[in-house]
Amino acid sequence: MNLHVPPRDAEPARRKRPRRTPKGRQLDLVAAQDIGELLGNRPRRRDLLIEHLHLIQDRYGHLSAAHLAALAAEMKMAQTEVYEVATFYAHFDVVKEGADTPPAVTVRVCDSLSCAMAGAEKMLNRLPEILGPDVRVVRAPCMGACDRAPVVAVGHVQTMRATAELVSDAIHHDTHAHAAEPAKDLPSYQADGGYRLLKACLDGARNRDDVIAAVNDAGLRGLGGAGFPTGRKWSLVRAEPGPRLMAVNGDEGEPGTFKDRHYLGLDPHRFIEGMLLAAWVVEAREVFFYLRDEYPELRLMLLDEIAKAEAAGLSPHTKVHLRRGAGAYICGEESAMIESIEGKRGLPRHRPPYVAQVGLFGRPTLVQNVETLFWICDIVEKGASWFTSQGRNERKGFRSFSVSGRVKNPGVKLAPAGVTMQELIDEFSGGMLDGHKFKAYLPGGASGGILPASMADIPLDFGTLEKHGCFVGSHAVVVLSDQDDMKQVALNLMRFFEDESCGQCTPCRVGTEKAVRLMAQGPWDESLLNELASVMRDASICGLGQAAPNPLISVLKHFRDDLTKPLSAW
């Protein structure tokens, strides 16, 4: 064996010098001081990551690379964990190192269906010319004010029925979100008998089984979209071992939906009492109320009103946490919402297990929609017969419809369950706009499909539309007229799904993008579009990808005359 032995006078091999700093981005001491002072005495828990990102965004108007690194160090997290969360949510402006910071003022123009019908595209083209280069104008998805379209947000403050002039005035007056005055505050709510039921439950005058029975007898279902029987859900969660938790879904991001916003602003304590009652029934130690970020004035108001209820001794059995969304439609899906509450990206979970078994922080979790909780007190106090006495076409109860589009009086309409579309237009919405002829409608928002006016006599309720390839969902109704291009409508909705796909599964992520390209370039290749829709429905993880093709399939099925026409502009 020959070993090469270097001569003694040869120069020894140079040793690699040790690194002076660890690998990766180095901590900026000024940024670290900024973050430390900003967080103050707040806990550095992992589940508060999104709340802390909001603090930085609100203070500086963007999230710089230095501040993200400092936040990671402050919370003892990997920088990649912080970065992946910050870049997932639309309302966080992440600025890469060396890139220019965004302008001080950002104007977001809603381009979802109702706002597009009301002229959002023209405003998107005109605003940059009027506002100048120092203002950033960007597209944004539904802001939950479809009845007052078009909607434009300057920072966090929304301008309803916006014009370019109104938006310019809002910028120059430097408006900021402020706490909305509730239509019924705590004293007035209590003067009308509010919290009497909750006190009776806490004092032992009412038992949990009786409350569940009342809700079951009323046939109350989840009004956020799925329609699962509420009393049954309570029983399922109660059957799981404690400790149990509760999550409230206030992230109504479905285009056309704004009823939760309406009820929270109208009578917040009726909702709060219903929330506290549900927490008492399932013995939830903590409640996490996830509210969409597009409602800043409601968030500030609810922080005050929830604190007042707590100070009045009305929540000794649970602790309520108000959590702020960050602009992600997917977080309306319950498991994605739970991931977001835990401070993560809003990626839907695989099932089973279901959230009633393994939900928030691995504990059995009751998830309820805002409007469902809003009706609890009335049902229990007035009795199930009060609720079931309402209804049409063999349906029972009330339903709240968010109505927008080509009607004279859009808004939230409280109507009997089983009301038809024609009745909803004629009796509750003042009829069609002058010069518009009823052509079609969305019975359940962007994901619920599209039906022609010839099918306006179908009861709008759970289980009545599925055989037609549609569903009522969150009862978001958008009315279309003979002046609307159905291909353009379907394309608008598919673009929404493309933008809002979380990207976790290929059928949804790639399928929505591919569908947009095929629909925009025209003429439509029906065979290819049907094949693409089938793959998305069969293979997507959650309801977003499964329901995204519904508007497309509806147009192919019900509006064949529109297929031969060129794609029109709004």
Side-chain angles (χ1 to χ4, degrees):
M1 182 172 62
N2 294 322
L3 295 176
H4 174 69
V5 180
R8 293 185 178 182
D9 58 348
E11 184 180 351
R14 292 183 179 179
R15 295 182 179 179
K16 190 175 182 180
R17 293 181 179 179
R19 295 179 60 91
R20 294 182 178 180
T21 60
K23 291 184 178 180
R25 187 182 305 281
Q26 302 308 302
L27 184 63
D28 182 291
L29 297 181
V30 175
Q33 183 176 355
D34 290 342
I35 298 303
E37 293 176 353
L38 185 60
L39 297 188
N41 295 324
R42 294 178 175 86
R44 270 60 168 174
R45 297 196 316 268
R46 175 67 170 80
D47 62 291
L48 292 174
L49 173 58
I50 294 174
E51 295 295 307
H52 296 342
L53 288 171
H54 274 302
L55 288 174
I56 303 171
Q57 176 82 31
D58 291 345
R59 171 69 63 86
Y60 297 101
H62 63 278
L63 302 176
S64 69
H67 280 150
L68 289 177
L71 180 63
E74 190 74 25
M75 298 185 69
K76 295 180 173 58
M77 295 174 60
Q79 291 185 33
T80 53
E81 289 183 278
V82 175
Y83 186 81
E84 72 171 4
V85 172
T87 53
F88 180 85
Y89 295 93
H91 289 188
F92 293 140
D93 286 321
V94 178
V95 178
K96 296 181 179 180
E97 189 171 22
D100 294 334
T101 58
V105 179
T106 295
V107 172
R108 290 181 169 85
V109 181
C110 176
D111 68 350
S112 291
L113 184 57
S114 295
C115 286
M117 294 162 62
E121 290 296 328
K122 295 177 181 177
M123 195 168 306
L124 277 162
N125 293 329
R126 188 180 177 203
L127 281 176
E129 301 176 2
I130 294 176
L131 303 179
D134 295 332
V135 176
R136 180 175 57 164
V137 179
V138 298
R139 294 176 180 271
C142 186
M143 298 182 186
C146 314
D147 55 332
R148 291 166 285 178
V151 185
V152 176
V154 178
H156 260 73
V157 181
Q158 294 180 7
T159 299
M160 316 295 186
R161 298 186 180 92
T163 64
E165 291 72 24
L166 288 175
V167 174
S168 180
D169 288 345
I171 292 174
H172 293 141
H173 286 90
D174 194 24
T175 53
H176 297 277
H178 60 279
E181 291 294 333
K184 185 176 285 189
D185 59 10
L186 179 59
S188 58
Y189 181 74
Q190 288 183 306
D192 291 340
Y195 289 110
R196 186 167 49 198
L197 174 61
L198 177 62
K199 290 178 180 178
C201 292
L202 295 176
D203 292 341
R206 295 255 195 173
N207 65 61
R208 292 177 173 85
D209 290 337
D210 289 342
V211 173
I212 292 176
V215 173
N216 276 329
D217 292 344
L220 182 65
R221 305 176 69 162
L223 298 173
F228 194 86
T230 302
R232 184 181 171 195
K233 182 184 286 189
W234 288 1
S235 297
L236 290 172
V237 174
R238 282 191 69 203
E240 296 294 325
R244 292 177 285 275
L245 301 173
M246 178 176 170
V248 179
N249 192 339
D251 195 55
E252 55 172 0
E254 184 77 22
T257 307
F258 46 89
K259 60 186 176 64
D260 291 350
R261 181 182 206 167
H262 169 79
Y263 284 121
L264 288 173
L266 179 70
D267 197 352
H269 283 281
R270 182 183 297 196
F271 155 75
I272 293 172
E273 184 174 8
M275 174 177 65
L276 295 176
L277 274 169
W280 172 79
V281 168
V282 302
E283 299 176 85
R285 290 184 177 181
E286 295 179 273
V287 178
F288 293 82
F289 179 14
Y290 190 86
L291 183 68
R292 69 181 309 202
D293 197 32
E294 287 82 355
Y295 300 164
E297 74 289 348
L298 288 184
R299 184 180 68 86
L300 295 173
M301 178 270 288
L302 286 165
L303 282 171
D304 290 340
E305 299 305 319
I306 291 171
K308 291 175 183 176
E310 183 178 349
L314 297 169
S315 58
H317 58 298
T318 193
K319 174 66 178 176
V320 179
H321 308 272
L322 185 58
R323 291 293 176 86
R324 182 177 172 185
Y329 166 74
I330 190 62
C331 290
E333 196 275 338
E334 62 178 7
S335 66
M337 176 190 67
I338 285 175
E339 290 285 298
S340 189
I341 292 173
E342 293 179 353
K344 306 171 188 174
R345 294 180 296 164
L347 301 180
R349 297 177 179 177
H350 292 273
R351 302 172 189 176
Y354 298 94
V355 297
Q357 303 163 309
V358 181
L360 266 170
F361 310 114
R363 302 308 312 159
T365 303
L366 173 67
V367 178
Q368 295 281 206
N369 161 262
V370 167
E371 193 202 352
T372 306
L373 298 172
F374 187 85
W375 292 113
I376 297 296
C377 294
D378 278 341
I379 287 173
V380 177
E381 288 184 321
K382 297 178 181 180
S385 59
W386 165 80
F387 192 74
T388 58
S389 65
Q390 303 295 318
R392 297 180 184 179
N393 298 306
E394 300 181 354
R395 298 281 157 168
K396 296 180 180 180
F398 296 106
R399 296 290 184 268
S400 300
F401 293 89
S402 304
V403 181
S404 62
R406 310 298 192 184
V407 293
K408 290 182 179 178
N409 300 318
V412 175
K413 311 298 178 182
L414 184 61
V419 68
T420 67
M421 187 66 244
Q422 195 65 59
E423 292 169 340
L424 195 60
I425 293 173
D426 296 339
E427 298 179 33
F428 295 89
S429 306
M432 297 293 293
L433 284 171
D434 293 337
H436 289 262
K437 181 181 178 181
F438 180 33
K439 178 179 181 178
Y441 65 101
L442 280 66
S447 58
I450 310 172
L451 290 173
S454 61
M455 300 176 69
D457 58 348
I458 304 172
L460 298 176
D461 206 10
F462 300 109
T464 63
L465 303 173
E466 281 75 2
K467 62 183 178 182
H468 303 292
C470 298
F471 53 82
V472 76
S474 60
H475 296 74
V477 173
V478 183
V479 182
L480 307 170
S481 79
D482 56 345
Q483 298 185 25
D484 295 312
D485 176 0
M486 302 308 298
K487 289 169 66 178
Q488 185 66 266
V489 168
L491 177 58
N492 176 279
L493 299 174
M494 188 61 76
R495 280 176 171 152
F496 169 79
F497 289 122
E498 177 194 21
D499 185 59
E500 293 295 336
S501 173
C502 74
Q504 181 178 191
C505 67
T506 302
C508 177
R509 181 185 69 250
V510 178
T512 52
E513 181 183 358
K514 178 71 172 179
V516 166
R517 287 205 308 270
L518 292 172
M519 294 165 72
Q521 68 188 20
W524 285 12
D525 185 331
E526 292 188 46
S527 176
L528 184 56
L529 286 170
N530 274 308
E531 183 180 1
L532 182 60
S534 178
V535 171
M536 292 171 65
R537 284 176 164 175
D538 293 343
S540 295
I541 290 175
C542 80
L544 191 154
Q546 295 162 12
N550 286 348
L552 163 63
I553 298 301
S554 296
V555 172
L556 292 174
K557 181 178 181 180
H558 299 296
F559 304 96
R560 300 204 59 82
D561 289 345
D562 285 42
L563 297 180
T564 60
K565 302 174 185 177
L567 191 66
S568 64
W570 288 107

